[in-house]
Amino acid sequence: MPGPTLLDRRLVIVTGKGGVGKSTVSAALALLAARAGKRVLVCEVNAQERVAPLLGAAPTGSALREAVPGISTVNVNPHDSMREYGLMVVRFRAIYDAVFENRLVRYFLRVVPSLAELVMLGKILHEALEVSRGRFAARSVKLILPAKVPDLTVMCREVQIEQVLLNLLQNGFDAVVDQKGERWVRVDVSTLDGSAIISVTDSGPGIPVELRDHIGQPFFTTKEVGKGTGLGLSLSKTIAEEHGGRVEYDEERGHTRFSLVLPLARQAEAA
């Protein structure tokens, strides 16, 4: 008697290294199961959301939502999940915040080895570029990449650092996509004083001097209404600082350049 098929199982876990096709396999399995009449929930864990877009829907975030008929998606963020569970147990938000949101506990959670891992910076950059390439090609914006990325290792939460790079690439893209003349975004990777630096420079006109002091403030944006929330750089700055790094702004020959600066692995461990 034949055993149960893959789609007969209540839980299927798709895992593997970045870039091996986990999202594509998950989306395909979800579609097959839905077509077989099953109700499907695809749960991505602390990931850059890819399944919902593969299904033709917008990213759902931490709120469970139906992406297509029969298939719901959700992205489980450990911090949000811990908060939700903690509030279920503690019941009082003030007590939860006092216990879990204080600086000492947050620092402890940041240095737990299982939460932050040694990661090759080139791998994170590769994954961010894979997500962004299609957008650049579709609008004929030139993406200039380094001939070779140095072998640099950082201690970080991979998904969060990828999100920072995606934000910087998106900002560069938005700055040039509607302008006339040359349209390019260049990525550079370098080191300085024990830190790894990934810089994203665009061919846009730069940011006016009178607005530069507001860069990185929540809800501040130089984009047109409806094209930006003003939260991308603010979030990127926070993530970088939580990793012992920073996001820097400067101009290169009149062009805008944002750089993500992170301590290299040995410096991160010693800090």
Side-chain angles (χ1 to χ4, degrees):
M1 182 176 179
T5 66
L6 185 63
L7 296 183
D8 290 327
R9 302 182 182 278
R10 298 289 300 274
L11 175 66
V12 176
I13 299 175
V14 180
T15 186
K17 295 182 178 180
V20 299
K22 298 187 297 294
S23 301
T24 303
V25 170
S26 299
L29 288 174
L31 287 170
L32 286 172
R35 289 171 183 169
K38 299 179 181 294
R39 296 171 58 191
V40 183
L41 170 62
V42 181
C43 176
E44 297 179 88
V45 181
N46 203 29
Q48 176 65 36
E49 288 188 63
R50 293 187 175 92
V51 172
L54 283 173
L55 296 173
T60 57
S62 59
L64 191 150
R65 190 171 64 193
E66 188 173 61
V68 297
I71 304 176
S72 297
T73 59
V74 66
N75 186 17
V76 177
N77 179 285
H79 179 271
D80 293 341
S81 299
M82 186 180 75
R83 182 178 181 83
E84 181 180 357
Y85 178 73
L87 288 172
M88 288 172 58
V89 175
V90 178
R91 298 182 182 275
F92 294 100
R93 185 178 299 273
I95 297 176
Y96 175 88
D97 289 343
V99 174
F100 292 103
E101 297 293 348
N102 68 72
R103 293 178 61 187
L104 181 61
V105 173
R106 292 179 68 181
Y107 173 79
F108 171 76
L109 291 175
R110 284 201 300 272
V111 300
V112 172
S114 61
L115 298 182
E117 300 177 335
L118 286 170
V119 183
M120 295 296 294
L121 199 58
K123 174 178 180 291
I124 305 176
L125 178 59
H126 170 78
E127 293 181 353
L129 291 171
E130 285 300 299
V131 174
S132 304
R133 286 181 198 276
R135 185 186 312 115
F136 279 76
R139 299 298 299 273
S140 299
V141 175
K142 188 175 182 180
L143 187 57
I144 306 171
L145 305 177
K148 185 179 186 304
V149 177
D151 292 331
L152 304 175
T153 304
V154 294
M155 179 75 75
C156 71
R157 296 180 183 84
E158 182 177 346
V159 171
Q160 292 186 357
I161 297 304
E162 182 181 344
Q163 184 61 58
V164 173
L165 295 178
L166 286 171
N167 286 341
L168 298 185
L169 288 166
Q170 181 66 52
N171 285 347
F173 175 85
D174 290 341
V176 305
V177 66
D178 293 323
Q179 77 174 16
K180 296 180 180 179
E182 61 176 4
R183 301 186 302 164
W184 52 262
V185 173
R186 190 182 74 239
V187 178
D188 297 292
V189 182
S190 60
T191 60
L192 180 66
D193 297 332
S195 294
I197 305 171
I198 298 182
S199 298
V200 179
T201 308
D202 65 66
S203 61
I207 298 174
V209 175
E210 64 272 16
L211 299 180
R212 292 176 190 173
D213 288 342
H214 301 289
I215 294 173
Q217 294 179 358
F219 304 109
F220 171 77
T221 180
T222 58
K223 300 176 184 179
E224 297 178 10
V225 175
K227 288 191 175 181
T229 64
L231 292 175
L233 273 179
S234 175
L235 175 62
S236 297
K237 180 181 176 183
T238 299
I239 291 174
E241 290 174 350
E242 288 185 346
H243 284 79
R246 60 192 182 277
V247 172
E248 297 179 338
Y249 164 79
D250 62 90
E251 288 202 357
E252 182 191 78
R253 299 177 183 176
H255 299 306
T256 299
R257 177 168 63 190
F258 282 97
S259 299
L260 170 63
V261 183
L262 293 172
L264 290 169
R266 290 183 181 177
Q267 282 72 24
E269 291 170 355

